[in-house]
Amino acid sequence: MRRRSRRSETRTTASAPGPQHPGRPAGPASSARTATASRLHAFNRFEIKYLVPQDQAEELRAELRRHMDDDAYSGERGYPITSVYYDTARLTFYWEKIEGLKFRRKLRVRHYGTADDLTPDSTVFVEIKQRVNRVTQKRRVVLPYRDALRLCSPEGYEPEGEVSPRERAFLDEVSTLVGELDLRPTVTTGYHREAWVGREADLGLRVTLDHRLRGRDRDFHLASEAPNRLILPARLSVLEVKANERVPAWVTDLTARMSLDVVRISKYCQSVQAFGLVPRSTMHAPDELEAVLGDPASVQTTDPTTPTGVADAPNRKSVLVR
């Protein structure tokens, strides 16, 4: 896809919620000649995040399973997620989040699975996640990893064959963002996720629990075995409650009963800060995460279980410790 010299005048908007499975598609990676109707997904939702101490995780799982089902891709053990986030040299997307812009967005390439699973033909997702007031909108396209890297690079990507107008608009938007803003890989994040989906009364509900949040600020290939660093203390996990319209009362009752702390945490921003890529903002009030953790500069983000404080990139040898 050629880079355009002017900002695209067409901005795609998220449609009603579509398929929201988090894992890899059941079939092999889509080729450019495959029917395109299912390659682009878009949906809106509300998100609330909480910090969960490790010693409360088992109680939380038991309560969630009373009301929800294990996600089909999660099972009882969950699955690894690795993402590379793109930003400008001045970290425009980071500062938009820190300063609380009502409209903000970020670009990432995401892989569900282990580093051992990833090949140039593997299915990954190129995603634009944006915030409009209190609503989170996510649009993503499914591509082989090699094509995703081209789309998010100065090289550009031109799909073969016919593509739907909505997919074309999304690809053009990504290409324009990368070209005009000179986006480049900035940080990588990784974690292990457990996921649950709502039952009959809560079909739009999705809850995830992310453990051992890690990242790195170099060697951005998603299959890299380069070392990672914890970006949140290992004793804490992140619970995300995602709903189309409303959060059920039993969820808010549960989080209140367990005294879980609501936080405005961004995994991307945590990585940027953990690696000292930007000085702390002097223009915003401390958020809930800072209030929970105290002075961020004094927080130990190394892994106490390893001599170097470094956790390996997720692979088949990785084990979720409960």
Side-chain angles (χ1 to χ4, degrees), residues 129-216:
K129 186 175 182 180
Q130 63 190 36
R131 181 91 168 189
V132 181
N133 294 322
R134 296 177 57 247
V135 178
T136 298
Q137 301 177 343
K138 185 162 74 172
R139 291 164 293 140
R140 64 187 187 184
V141 67
V142 181
L143 291 173
Y145 186 36
R146 63 162 61 89
D147 293 340
L149 292 178
R150 290 171 182 153
L151 175 61
C152 298
S153 74
E155 175 185 354
Y157 163 68
E158 182 63 39
E160 299 179 16
E162 295 295 325
V163 298
S164 69
R166 292 178 64 244
E167 182 177 346
R168 169 62 69 179
F170 179 80
L171 295 175
D172 283 351
E173 183 178 359
V174 173
S175 182
T176 299
L177 282 173
V178 172
E180 292 200 353
L181 299 182
D182 190 23
L183 300 184
R184 72 281 307 274
T186 303
V187 293
T188 297
T189 65
Y191 45 90
H192 199 100
R193 168 165 287 182
E194 299 173 81
W196 297 268
V197 293
R199 294 174 182 162
E200 294 181 0
D202 303 315
L203 290 181
L205 179 66
R206 177 173 170 78
V207 176
T208 59
L209 186 63
D210 298 334
H211 309 274
R212 292 182 54 77
L213 274 65
R214 308 175 302 281
R216 62 178 181 268

Coordinates of all heavy atoms in Angstrom, one line a residue, residues 129-216:
K129 N -6.8 0.7 18.5 CA -7.6 0.8 19.7 C -7.7 2.3 20.1 O -6.7 3.0 20.2 CB -7.0 0.0 20.9 CG -8.0 0.0 22.1 CD -7.4 -0.9 23.2 CE -8.3 -1.0 24.4 NZ -7.8 -1.9 25.5
Q130 N -9.0 2.8 20.2 CA -9.1 4.2 20.4 C -10.2 4.4 21.5 O -11.0 3.6 21.7 CB -9.5 5.0 19.2 CG -10.8 4.6 18.5 CD -11.0 5.2 17.2 OE1 -10.0 5.3 16.4 NE2 -12.2 5.6 16.8
R131 N -10.1 5.5 22.1 CA -11.0 5.9 23.2 C -11.7 7.2 22.7 O -11.1 8.2 22.3 CB -10.2 6.2 24.5 CG -11.0 6.6 25.6 CD -11.4 5.4 26.5 NE -12.0 5.8 27.8 CZ -12.2 5.0 28.7 NH1 -11.9 3.7 28.6 NH2 -12.7 5.4 29.9
V132 N -13.1 7.1 22.8 CA -13.9 8.3 22.5 C -14.8 8.5 23.7 O -15.7 7.8 24.0 CB -14.8 8.0 21.3 CG1 -15.7 9.3 21.0 CG2 -13.9 7.7 20.1
N133 N -14.4 9.5 24.5 CA -15.0 9.8 25.8 C -14.8 8.6 26.7 O -13.7 8.2 26.9 CB -16.5 10.2 25.6 CG -16.6 11.6 24.9 OD1 -15.8 12.5 25.2 ND2 -17.6 11.7 24.1
R134 N -15.9 7.9 27.1 CA -15.8 6.8 28.0 C -15.9 5.4 27.2 O -15.8 4.4 27.8 CB -16.9 6.8 29.0 CG -16.8 8.0 30.0 CD -18.0 8.0 30.9 NE -18.1 6.8 31.7 CZ -19.1 5.9 31.6 NH1 -20.1 6.2 30.8 NH2 -19.1 4.8 32.4
V135 N -16.0 5.5 25.9 CA -16.2 4.3 25.1 C -14.9 3.9 24.5 O -14.2 4.7 23.9 CB -17.3 4.4 24.1 CG1 -17.4 3.2 23.2 CG2 -18.6 4.8 24.7
T136 N -14.6 2.6 24.6 CA -13.4 2.0 23.9 C -13.8 1.4 22.6 O -14.8 0.6 22.6 CB -12.7 1.0 24.8 OG1 -12.2 1.6 26.0 CG2 -11.5 0.4 24.1
Q137 N -13.2 1.8 21.5 CA -13.5 1.2 20.2 C -12.2 0.5 19.7 O -11.1 1.0 19.9 CB -13.9 2.3 19.2 CG -15.1 3.1 19.6 CD -15.4 4.3 18.7 OE1 -14.5 4.6 17.9 NE2 -16.6 4.8 18.7
K138 N -12.4 -0.7 19.2 CA -11.3 -1.5 18.7 C -11.7 -2.0 17.3 O -12.7 -2.6 17.1 CB -10.9 -2.6 19.6 CG -9.7 -3.4 19.1 CD -9.1 -4.2 20.2 CE -9.9 -5.5 20.5 NZ -9.1 -6.4 21.4
R139 N -10.8 -1.7 16.4 CA -10.9 -2.2 15.0 C -9.6 -3.0 14.7 O -8.5 -2.5 15.0 CB -11.1 -1.1 14.0 CG -12.5 -0.4 14.2 CD -12.5 0.9 13.5 NE -11.6 1.9 14.1 CZ -10.8 2.8 13.4 NH1 -10.8 2.8 12.1 NH2 -10.1 3.6 14.1
R140 N -9.8 -4.1 14.1 CA -8.6 -4.9 13.8 C -8.8 -5.7 12.5 O -9.9 -6.1 12.2 CB -8.2 -5.8 15.0 CG -9.3 -6.9 15.3 CD -8.9 -7.6 16.6 NE -9.8 -8.7 16.9 CZ -9.7 -9.5 17.9 NH1 -8.8 -9.2 18.9 NH2 -10.5 -10.5 18.1
V141 N -7.7 -6.0 11.9 CA -7.7 -6.8 10.7 C -6.7 -8.0 10.9 O -5.7 -7.9 11.6 CB -7.3 -6.0 9.4 CG1 -5.8 -5.6 9.5 CG2 -7.6 -6.8 8.2
V142 N -7.1 -9.2 10.4 CA -6.3 -10.4 10.5 C -5.4 -10.5 9.3 O -5.9 -10.4 8.1 CB -7.3 -11.6 10.5 CG1 -6.4 -12.9 10.7 CG2 -8.3 -11.5 11.7
L143 N -4.1 -10.6 9.5 CA -3.1 -10.8 8.4 C -2.1 -11.8 8.8 O -1.8 -12.0 10.0 CB -2.5 -9.4 8.2 CG -3.3 -8.3 7.6 CD1 -2.5 -7.0 7.5 CD2 -3.7 -8.6 6.2
P144 N -1.4 -12.4 7.8 CA -0.2 -13.1 8.1 C 0.9 -12.1 8.7 O 0.9 -10.9 8.4 CB 0.3 -13.6 6.8 CG -1.0 -13.6 5.9 CD -1.8 -12.4 6.4
Y145 N 1.7 -12.6 9.6 CA 2.7 -11.8 10.3 C 3.5 -10.9 9.3 O 3.7 -9.7 9.5 CB 3.5 -12.6 11.2 CG 4.4 -11.8 12.1 CD1 4.1 -10.6 12.6 CD2 5.7 -12.3 12.4 CE1 4.9 -9.9 13.5 CE2 6.6 -11.6 13.2 CZ 6.1 -10.4 13.8 OH 7.0 -9.7 14.6
R146 N 4.0 -11.5 8.2 CA 4.8 -10.8 7.3 C 4.1 -9.6 6.7 O 4.7 -8.5 6.5 CB 5.3 -11.7 6.2 CG 4.3 -12.3 5.3 CD 4.9 -12.8 4.0 NE 5.9 -13.9 4.2 CZ 5.6 -15.2 4.3 NH1 4.3 -15.6 4.2 NH2 6.5 -16.1 4.5
D147 N 2.8 -9.8 6.4 CA 2.0 -8.7 5.8 C 1.7 -7.6 6.9 O 1.7 -6.4 6.6 CB 0.7 -9.2 5.2 CG 1.0 -10.1 4.0 OD1 2.1 -10.0 3.4 OD2 0.1 -10.8 3.7
A148 N 1.5 -8.0 8.1 CA 1.3 -7.0 9.2 C 2.5 -6.2 9.4 O 2.4 -4.9 9.6 CB 1.0 -7.8 10.5
L149 N 3.7 -6.7 9.3 CA 4.9 -6.0 9.5 C 5.1 -5.0 8.3 O 5.5 -3.8 8.5 CB 6.1 -6.9 9.5 CG 6.3 -7.8 10.8 CD1 7.5 -8.7 10.7 CD2 6.3 -6.9 12.0
R150 N 4.7 -5.4 7.1 CA 4.8 -4.5 6.0 C 3.8 -3.3 6.1 O 4.1 -2.2 5.8 CB 4.5 -5.2 4.7 CG 5.6 -6.2 4.3 CD 5.1 -7.1 3.1 NE 6.2 -8.1 2.8 CZ 5.9 -9.2 2.2 NH1 4.6 -9.5 1.9 NH2 6.9 -10.1 1.9
L151 N 2.6 -3.6 6.5 CA 1.6 -2.6 6.7 C 2.0 -1.5 7.7 O 1.7 -0.3 7.5 CB 0.2 -3.2 7.2 CG -0.9 -2.3 7.5 CD1 -1.3 -1.5 6.3 CD2 -2.1 -3.1 8.0
C152 N 2.7 -1.9 8.7 CA 3.1 -1.0 9.8 C 4.5 -0.5 9.6 O 5.1 -0.1 10.6 CB 2.9 -1.7 11.2 SG 1.2 -2.2 11.5
S153 N 5.0 -0.5 8.4 CA 6.4 -0.1 8.2 C 6.4 0.9 7.0 O 5.4 1.0 6.2 CB 7.3 -1.3 7.8 OG 7.0 -1.8 6.5
P154 N 7.4 1.6 6.7 CA 7.5 2.5 5.6 C 7.4 1.8 4.3 O 7.0 2.4 3.2 CB 8.9 3.2 5.7 CG 9.2 3.1 7.1 CD 8.6 1.8 7.6
E155 N 7.6 0.5 4.2 CA 7.5 -0.3 3.0 C 6.1 -0.3 2.5 O 5.8 -0.2 1.3 CB 8.0 -1.8 3.3 CG 7.8 -2.7 2.1 CD 8.1 -4.1 2.5 OE1 8.6 -4.4 3.6 OE2 7.9 -5.0 1.7
G156 N 5.1 -0.4 3.4 CA 3.7 -0.4 3.0 C 3.3 -1.8 2.6 O 4.1 -2.7 2.4
Y157 N 2.0 -2.0 2.4 CA 1.4 -3.3 2.1 C 0.2 -3.1 1.2 O -0.7 -2.3 1.5 CB 1.0 -4.0 3.4 CG 0.0 -5.2 3.2 CD1 0.4 -6.3 2.5 CD2 -1.3 -5.1 3.6 CE1 -0.5 -7.4 2.3 CE2 -2.2 -6.1 3.4 CZ -1.8 -7.3 2.8 OH -2.6 -8.3 2.6
E158 N 0.2 -3.8 0.1 CA -0.9 -3.8 -0.8 C -1.5 -5.2 -1.0 O -0.8 -6.1 -1.5 CB -0.4 -3.3 -2.2 CG -1.5 -3.2 -3.2 CD -2.6 -2.2 -2.8 OE1 -2.2 -1.1 -2.3 OE2 -3.8 -2.4 -3.1
P159 N -2.7 -5.4 -0.5 CA -3.3 -6.8 -0.5 C -3.5 -7.2 -2.0 O -3.8 -6.3 -2.8 CB -4.5 -6.6 0.3 CG -4.9 -5.2 0.2 CD -3.6 -4.5 0.1
E160 N -3.4 -8.5 -2.2 CA -3.8 -9.0 -3.5 C -5.3 -9.3 -3.6 O -5.9 -9.6 -2.6 CB -3.0 -10.3 -3.8 CG -1.5 -10.2 -3.8 CD -0.8 -11.5 -4.0 OE1 -1.5 -12.4 -4.4 OE2 0.4 -11.6 -3.7
G161 N -5.8 -9.1 -4.8 CA -7.2 -9.5 -5.0 C -8.1 -8.4 -4.4 O -7.7 -7.3 -4.1
E162 N -9.4 -8.7 -4.3 CA -10.4 -7.8 -3.9 C -10.5 -7.7 -2.4 O -10.3 -8.7 -1.7 CB -11.8 -8.2 -4.4 CG -11.9 -8.1 -5.9 CD -11.8 -6.7 -6.5 OE1 -12.3 -5.8 -5.7 OE2 -11.3 -6.5 -7.6
V163 N -10.7 -6.5 -1.8 CA -10.9 -6.4 -0.4 C -12.2 -5.6 -0.2 O -12.6 -4.8 -1.1 CB -9.7 -5.7 0.3 CG1 -8.5 -6.5 0.2 CG2 -9.5 -4.2 -0.3
S164 N -12.9 -5.7 0.9 CA -14.1 -5.0 1.1 C -13.8 -3.5 1.4 O -12.7 -3.2 1.8 CB -14.8 -5.6 2.4 OG -14.0 -5.3 3.6
P165 N -14.8 -2.6 1.1 CA -14.6 -1.2 1.3 C -14.2 -0.9 2.8 O -13.3 0.0 3.0 CB -15.9 -0.6 1.0 CG -16.5 -1.6 0.0 CD -16.1 -2.9 0.5
R166 N -14.7 -1.6 3.7 CA -14.4 -1.3 5.1 C -13.0 -1.7 5.4 O -12.3 -1.1 6.2 CB -15.4 -2.0 6.1 CG -16.8 -1.5 6.0 CD -17.8 -2.3 6.9 NE -17.4 -2.1 8.3 CZ -17.0 -3.2 9.1 NH1 -16.9 -4.4 8.5 NH2 -16.8 -3.0 10.3
E167 N -12.6 -2.9 4.9 CA -11.2 -3.3 5.1 C -10.2 -2.3 4.5 O -9.2 -2.0 5.0 CB -11.0 -4.7 4.6 CG -9.6 -5.2 4.9 CD -9.4 -6.6 4.5 OE1 -10.4 -7.3 4.2 OE2 -8.2 -7.1 4.4
R168 N -10.5 -1.9 3.2 CA -9.7 -1.0 2.5 C -9.5 0.3 3.3 O -8.4 0.9 3.4 CB -10.2 -0.7 1.1 CG -9.6 0.4 0.4 CD -8.1 0.2 0.2 NE -7.9 -0.8 -0.8 CZ -6.7 -1.2 -1.2 NH1 -5.6 -0.7 -0.7 NH2 -6.6 -2.2 -2.1
A169 N -10.6 0.8 3.9 CA -10.6 2.0 4.6 C -9.7 1.9 5.9 O -8.9 2.8 6.2 CB -12.0 2.5 5.1
F170 N -9.8 0.7 6.5 CA -9.0 0.5 7.7 C -7.5 0.4 7.3 O -6.6 1.0 8.0 CB -9.4 -0.8 8.4 CG -8.6 -1.1 9.6 CD1 -8.8 -0.5 10.8 CD2 -7.6 -2.1 9.5 CE1 -8.1 -0.8 11.9 CE2 -6.8 -2.4 10.6 CZ -7.0 -1.7 11.9
L171 N -7.2 -0.4 6.3 CA -5.8 -0.5 5.8 C -5.2 0.9 5.4 O -4.1 1.2 5.7 CB -5.7 -1.4 4.6 CG -6.0 -2.9 4.9 CD1 -6.0 -3.7 3.6 CD2 -5.1 -3.5 6.0
D172 N -6.0 1.7 4.8 CA -5.6 3.1 4.4 C -5.3 3.9 5.7 O -4.4 4.7 5.7 CB -6.7 3.8 3.6 CG -6.7 3.3 2.1 OD1 -5.7 2.5 1.7 OD2 -7.6 3.6 1.4
E173 N -6.2 3.8 6.7 CA -6.0 4.5 7.9 C -4.7 4.1 8.6 O -3.9 5.0 9.1 CB -7.2 4.3 8.9 CG -7.1 5.1 10.1 CD -8.3 5.0 11.0 OE1 -9.2 4.2 10.7 OE2 -8.3 5.6 12.1
V174 N -4.4 2.8 8.7 CA -3.2 2.4 9.3 C -2.0 2.9 8.5 O -1.0 3.5 9.0 CB -3.1 0.9 9.4 CG1 -1.7 0.4 9.8 CG2 -4.2 0.3 10.3
S175 N -2.1 2.8 7.2 CA -1.0 3.2 6.3 C -0.7 4.7 6.5 O 0.4 5.2 6.5 CB -1.3 2.9 4.9 OG -0.2 3.3 4.0
T176 N -1.8 5.5 6.6 CA -1.7 7.0 6.7 C -1.1 7.3 8.1 O -0.2 8.2 8.2 CB -3.1 7.6 6.5 OG1 -3.6 7.4 5.2 CG2 -2.9 9.1 6.7
L177 N -1.5 6.7 9.1 CA -0.9 6.9 10.4 C 0.6 6.6 10.4 O 1.4 7.5 10.9 CB -1.6 6.0 11.5 CG -3.0 6.5 12.0 CD1 -3.6 5.4 12.9 CD2 -2.9 7.8 12.7
V178 N 0.9 5.5 9.9 CA 2.4 5.1 9.9 C 3.2 6.1 9.1 O 4.2 6.6 9.5 CB 2.5 3.7 9.4 CG1 4.0 3.4 9.2 CG2 1.9 2.7 10.3
G179 N 2.6 6.5 7.9 CA 3.4 7.3 7.0 C 3.5 8.8 7.4 O 4.6 9.4 7.4
E180 N 2.3 9.3 7.8 CA 2.3 10.8 8.2 C 2.9 11.1 9.5 O 3.5 12.1 9.8 CB 0.9 11.3 8.0 CG 0.4 11.3 6.6 CD -0.8 12.3 6.4 OE1 -1.3 12.8 7.5 OE2 -1.2 12.5 5.3
L181 N 2.7 10.1 10.5 CA 3.2 10.4 11.8 C 4.6 9.7 12.0 O 5.2 9.9 13.1 CB 2.3 9.8 12.9 CG 0.9 10.4 12.9 CD1 0.0 9.8 14.0 CD2 1.0 11.9 13.1
D182 N 5.1 9.0 11.0 CA 6.4 8.3 11.1 C 6.4 7.4 12.4 O 7.3 7.5 13.2 CB 7.5 9.3 11.2 CG 8.9 8.7 11.1 OD1 9.0 7.6 10.5 OD2 9.9 9.3 11.6
L183 N 5.4 6.6 12.4 CA 5.3 5.6 13.6 C 6.4 4.6 13.5 O 6.8 4.2 12.4 CB 3.9 5.0 13.6 CG 2.7 5.9 13.7 CD1 1.4 5.1 13.9 CD2 2.9 6.8 15.0
R184 N 6.8 4.1 14.6 CA 7.8 3.1 14.7 C 7.6 2.2 15.9 O 7.0 2.7 16.9 CB 9.3 3.6 14.7 CG 9.7 4.3 16.0 CD 9.2 5.7 16.2 NE 9.5 6.6 15.0 CZ 10.7 7.2 14.9 NH1 11.6 7.1 15.8 NH2 10.9 8.0 13.9
P185 N 8.0 1.0 15.9 CA 7.9 0.2 17.2 C 8.5 0.9 18.3 O 9.6 1.4 18.2 CB 8.6 -1.1 16.8 CG 8.7 -1.2 15.3 CD 8.8 0.2 14.9
T186 N 7.8 0.8 19.5 CA 8.3 1.6 20.7 C 8.5 0.6 21.8 O 9.5 0.7 22.5 CB 7.3 2.7 21.0 OG1 7.1 3.5 19.9 CG2 7.7 3.5 22.2
V187 N 7.5 -0.2 22.2 CA 7.7 -1.1 23.3 C 6.9 -2.4 22.9 O 5.9 -2.4 22.1 CB 7.2 -0.6 24.6 CG1 8.1 0.5 25.2 CG2 5.8 -0.2 24.6
T188 N 7.3 -3.5 23.5 CA 6.5 -4.7 23.4 C 6.0 -5.1 24.8 O 6.7 -4.9 25.8 CB 7.4 -5.9 22.9 OG1 7.9 -5.5 21.6 CG2 6.7 -7.2 22.9
T189 N 4.8 -5.6 24.9 CA 4.2 -6.1 26.1 C 3.8 -7.6 26.0 O 3.5 -8.0 24.9 CB 3.0 -5.3 26.5 OG1 1.9 -5.5 25.6 CG2 3.3 -3.8 26.6
G190 N 3.9 -8.3 27.1 CA 3.5 -9.7 27.1 C 2.9 -10.0 28.4 O 3.2 -9.4 29.5
Y191 N 1.9 -10.9 28.4 CA 1.3 -11.4 29.7 C 0.6 -12.7 29.4 O 0.4 -13.1 28.3 CB 0.4 -10.3 30.3 CG -0.5 -9.7 29.3 CD1 -1.8 -10.2 29.0 CD2 -0.1 -8.5 28.6 CE1 -2.6 -9.6 28.1 CE2 -0.9 -7.9 27.7 CZ -2.2 -8.4 27.4 OH -3.0 -7.8 26.5
H192 N 0.1 -13.3 30.5 CA -0.7 -14.5 30.4 C -2.1 -14.2 30.8 O -2.3 -13.6 31.9 CB -0.1 -15.6 31.3 CG -0.6 -17.0 30.9 ND1 0.2 -17.9 30.2 CD2 -1.7 -17.6 31.1 CE1 -0.5 -19.0 30.0 NE2 -1.7 -18.9 30.5
R193 N -3.0 -14.5 29.9 CA -4.4 -14.1 30.1 C -5.4 -15.3 30.4 O -5.3 -16.3 29.7 CB -4.9 -13.3 28.9 CG -6.4 -13.1 28.9 CD -6.8 -12.1 27.8 NE -6.4 -10.7 28.3 CZ -6.7 -9.6 27.6 NH1 -7.3 -9.6 26.5 NH2 -6.3 -8.4 28.1
E194 N -6.2 -15.1 31.4 CA -7.4 -16.0 31.5 C -8.6 -15.2 31.2 O -8.7 -14.0 31.4 CB -7.5 -16.5 33.0 CG -6.3 -17.3 33.5 CD -6.4 -17.5 35.0 OE1 -7.1 -18.5 35.4 OE2 -5.8 -16.8 35.8
A195 N -9.6 -15.9 30.6 CA -10.8 -15.1 30.1 C -12.0 -15.9 30.3 O -12.1 -17.1 30.2 CB -10.6 -14.9 28.6
W196 N -13.1 -15.1 30.6 CA -14.4 -15.7 30.8 C -15.4 -14.9 30.0 O -15.3 -13.7 29.8 CB -14.8 -15.6 32.3 CG -13.9 -16.5 33.2 CD1 -14.1 -17.8 33.6 CD2 -12.7 -16.0 33.8 NE1 -13.1 -18.2 34.4 CE2 -12.2 -17.1 34.5 CE3 -12.0 -14.8 33.8 CZ2 -11.0 -17.0 35.3 CZ3 -10.8 -14.7 34.5 CH2 -10.3 -15.8 35.2
V197 N -16.5 -15.6 29.6 CA -17.6 -14.9 28.8 C -18.9 -15.1 29.5 O -19.1 -16.1 30.2 CB -17.7 -15.5 27.4 CG1 -16.4 -15.2 26.6 CG2 -17.9 -17.0 27.4
G198 N -19.8 -14.1 29.3 CA -21.1 -14.1 30.0 C -22.0 -15.2 29.5 O -21.9 -15.6 28.4
R199 N -22.9 -15.5 30.4 CA -24.0 -16.5 30.0 C -25.2 -15.8 29.5 O -25.1 -14.6 29.1 CB -24.3 -17.4 31.2 CG -23.1 -18.3 31.6 CD -23.4 -19.0 32.9 NE -22.2 -19.8 33.3 CZ -22.0 -20.3 34.5 NH1 -22.9 -20.0 35.5 NH2 -20.9 -21.0 34.8
E200 N -26.3 -16.4 29.5 CA -27.5 -15.9 28.8 C -27.9 -14.5 29.2 O -28.2 -13.7 28.3 CB -28.7 -16.8 29.2 CG -28.6 -18.2 28.6 CD -29.8 -19.1 28.9 OE1 -30.7 -18.6 29.6 OE2 -29.8 -20.3 28.5
A201 N -27.9 -14.2 30.5 CA -28.3 -12.8 30.9 C -27.2 -11.8 30.7 O -27.4 -10.6 30.7 CB -28.7 -12.9 32.4
D202 N -25.9 -12.3 30.4 CA -24.8 -11.3 30.3 C -24.0 -11.7 29.0 O -22.8 -11.8 29.1 CB -23.9 -11.5 31.5 CG -24.6 -11.2 32.8 OD1 -25.4 -10.2 32.9 OD2 -24.4 -12.0 33.8
L203 N -24.7 -11.8 27.9 CA -24.0 -12.2 26.7 C -22.9 -11.2 26.2 O -22.0 -11.6 25.5 CB -25.0 -12.5 25.6 CG -25.9 -13.7 25.8 CD1 -26.9 -13.9 24.6 CD2 -25.1 -15.0 26.0
G204 N -23.1 -10.0 26.5 CA -22.1 -9.0 26.1 C -21.0 -8.8 27.1 O -20.1 -8.0 26.8
L205 N -20.9 -9.6 28.1 CA -19.9 -9.4 29.2 C -18.7 -10.3 28.9 O -18.8 -11.5 28.5 CB -20.5 -9.8 30.5 CG -19.6 -9.7 31.7 CD1 -19.2 -8.3 32.0 CD2 -20.2 -10.4 33.0
R206 N -17.5 -9.7 29.1 CA -16.3 -10.4 28.9 C -15.3 -10.0 30.1 O -15.2 -8.8 30.3 CB -15.6 -10.2 27.6 CG -14.3 -10.9 27.4 CD -13.8 -10.7 26.0 NE -12.4 -11.1 25.8 CZ -12.0 -12.4 25.8 NH1 -12.9 -13.4 25.8 NH2 -10.7 -12.7 25.7
V207 N -14.7 -10.9 30.8 CA -13.8 -10.6 31.9 C -12.5 -11.3 31.6 O -12.5 -12.5 31.3 CB -14.4 -11.0 33.2 CG1 -13.4 -10.8 34.4 CG2 -15.7 -10.3 33.5
T208 N -11.4 -10.6 31.8 CA -10.1 -11.2 31.6 C -9.2 -10.9 32.8 O -9.4 -9.9 33.5 CB -9.4 -10.6 30.4 OG1 -9.2 -9.2 30.5 CG2 -10.2 -10.9 29.1
L209 N -8.3 -11.8 33.1 CA -7.3 -11.6 34.2 C -5.9 -11.8 33.6 O -5.6 -12.9 33.1 CB -7.6 -12.6 35.3 CG -6.8 -12.5 36.6 CD1 -7.1 -11.1 37.3 CD2 -7.2 -13.6 37.5
D210 N -5.1 -10.8 33.7 CA -3.8 -10.8 33.1 C -2.7 -10.9 34.2 O -2.7 -10.1 35.1 CB -3.6 -9.6 32.2 CG -4.5 -9.5 31.1 OD1 -5.0 -10.6 30.6 OD2 -4.8 -8.4 30.6
H211 N -1.8 -11.8 34.0 CA -0.7 -12.1 35.0 C 0.7 -11.7 34.4 O 0.9 -11.9 33.2 CB -0.7 -13.5 35.4 CG -2.0 -14.1 35.8 ND1 -2.5 -13.9 37.1 CD2 -3.0 -14.7 35.2 CE1 -3.7 -14.5 37.2 NE2 -4.0 -15.0 36.0
R212 N 1.6 -11.4 35.3 CA 3.0 -11.2 34.9 C 3.1 -10.3 33.7 O 3.6 -10.7 32.7 CB 3.6 -12.6 34.7 CG 3.8 -13.4 36.0 CD 4.5 -14.7 35.7 NE 5.8 -14.5 35.1 CZ 6.9 -14.1 35.7 NH1 6.8 -13.8 37.0 NH2 8.0 -13.9 35.0
L213 N 2.8 -9.1 33.9 CA 2.9 -8.1 32.8 C 4.4 -7.8 32.6 O 5.0 -7.3 33.5 CB 2.1 -6.8 33.1 CG 0.6 -6.9 32.8 CD1 -0.1 -7.9 33.6 CD2 0.0 -5.5 33.0
R214 N 4.8 -8.0 31.3 CA 6.2 -7.8 31.0 C 6.3 -6.9 29.8 O 5.4 -6.7 29.1 CB 6.9 -9.2 30.7 CG 6.7 -10.2 31.8 CD 7.2 -11.6 31.5 NE 6.7 -12.1 30.3 CZ 5.5 -12.7 30.2 NH1 4.7 -12.8 31.2 NH2 5.1 -13.2 29.0
G215 N 7.5 -6.5 29.5 CA 7.8 -5.7 28.3 C 9.2 -5.6 28.0 O 10.1 -6.0 28.7
R216 N 9.5 -5.0 26.8 CA 10.9 -4.6 26.5 C 10.9 -3.5 25.5 O 9.8 -3.2 24.9 CB 11.6 -5.8 25.8 CG 11.0 -6.4 24.5 CD 11.9 -7.5 24.0 NE 11.4 -8.0 22.7 CZ 10.5 -9.0 22.6 NH1 10.1 -9.6 23.7 NH2 10.1 -9.4 21.4

